[in-house]
Amino acid sequence: MLLGRHQEAERLFERLVATANDLYLFAEQYDAKSRRLLGNYPQAFSHVALVTSAAALRSLGQIPVARARSLVKAIVVQPGVPKSLQLMEVDDAAGTDCVIVETVAIGVCGTDMEIIERGHGALPSGRSHLVLGHESVGRVLRAPDGCGFSAGMLVTGIVRRPDPEPCACCAEGNWDMCLKGRYTERGIKELDGFASERVAVEPEFLVSIDRSLAGRAVLVEPTSIASKAWRKIDDFSLKGALTRFPP
């Protein structure tokens, strides 16, 4: 702000606020790669810096006195508490660098039932609940310029996120074969899922869906698992053949 870059400061402030948990609290650190709060929680110094920045922006007329919270309905659970499934209002999708998606359909599989009936799953950092849903299909409402997505497109979200300190598999893009177990998964492990009226998804974790598959697109995620299994079988078969019949 001291350099006169007021609009840039406002955009950065909005991105910062979007990283808060459902109680609008912050931890000591924020990992931009894994998009989660880390360290001591809540952290006083983080909030002092936030309030100071807000006051400075307000003095310049860059932000209004108050911003109304926008809520959406979501299906949530409390991991560790069996049969805690409920419909509740949560903060609306946010993130200026994310694609905002309207959820069209959600699949329910054995993993979801384990979370619901037995209390499996893991909470997002600093949160009191986990939004369910990892098998999904949605419709893009808005998207950042140049990200490859536009309003009206059908999409499905990639479930897993790589280890923030990549293992050999994560570094090669094979997050599903993570060796250290520090991955996160939407609707399962430390990240909210897609069972919400609207969700924010990073463009690199979205896959476009042909409209002809709209009625079956929710099965893309489980189908991808079967496809991966066949690819692995082919890989092992090829390696076995090369071992038996070296060039």
Side-chain angles (χ1 to χ4, degrees):
M1 289 184 293
L2 295 177
L3 298 176
R5 294 154 61 181
H6 300 161
Q7 291 185 344
E8 183 179 346
E10 181 184 6
R11 288 194 297 270
L12 185 59
F13 182 83
E14 292 286 357
R15 291 182 63 185
L16 171 63
V17 172
T19 66
N21 69 1
D22 54 335
L23 299 176
Y24 278 87
L25 295 176
F26 295 85
E28 181 179 15
Q29 305 170 42
Y30 181 77
D31 188 327
K33 185 173 291 186
S34 64
R35 297 176 184 268
R36 59 180 176 176
L37 298 169
L38 300 174
N40 294 333
Y41 167 84
Q43 170 56 252
F45 293 120
S46 299
H47 294 86
V48 169
L50 177 72
V51 172
T52 302
S53 298
L57 284 168
R58 183 179 299 168
S59 69
L60 296 170
Q62 294 297 118
I63 60 175
V65 173
R67 295 183 184 274
R69 292 179 64 184
S70 178
L71 301 175
V72 293
K73 293 179 180 178
I75 300 172
V76 307
V77 295
Q78 290 179 272
V81 181
K83 300 183 179 180
S84 59
L85 183 72
Q86 62 176 309
L87 181 68
M88 69 178 292
E89 291 186 326
V90 300
D91 286 324
D92 197 359
T96 57
D97 55 349
C98 289
V99 178
I100 305 303
V101 179
E102 176 187 36
T103 301
V104 174
I106 291 292
V108 177
C109 71
T111 299
D112 296 298
M113 295 309 299
E114 288 285 329
I115 295 172
I116 295 168
E117 295 294 327
R118 300 189 180 185
H120 291 183
L123 283 170
S125 178
R127 297 285 295 278
S128 61
H129 61 265
L130 170 73
V131 177
L132 273 182
H134 60 281
E135 299 175 2
S136 71
V137 59
R139 183 178 296 106
V140 174
L141 294 177
R142 61 181 184 274
D145 293 338
C147 73
F149 296 94
S150 57
M153 293 179 66
L154 287 180
V155 293
T156 187
I158 295 175
V159 178
R160 183 168 290 192
R161 304 292 187 269
D163 185 336
E165 297 178 0
C167 65
C169 291
C170 287
E172 294 178 353
N174 296 319
W175 316 320
D176 52 343
M177 305 298 288
C178 181
L179 300 174
K180 295 191 292 185
R182 291 186 56 197
Y183 58 84
T184 53
E185 293 178 316
R186 296 201 65 154
I188 302 173
K189 185 174 184 283
E190 300 177 17
L191 290 176
D192 280 334
F194 304 110
S196 176
E197 291 178 289
R198 288 183 295 275
V199 294
V201 188
E202 307 91 326
E204 62 269 29
F205 293 107
L206 272 182
V207 177
S208 61
I209 300 294
D210 190 281
R211 289 187 177 277
S212 64
L213 298 175
R216 300 179 292 276
V218 75
L219 298 175
V220 168
E221 191 274 339
T223 302
S224 71
I225 296 174
S227 175
K228 177 186 69 177
W230 280 114
R231 288 201 308 272
K232 292 300 179 183
I233 290 172
D234 289 341
D235 289 344
F236 292 144
S237 298
L238 178 59
K239 289 176 181 177
L242 292 176
T243 301
R244 291 193 299 272
F245 305 103

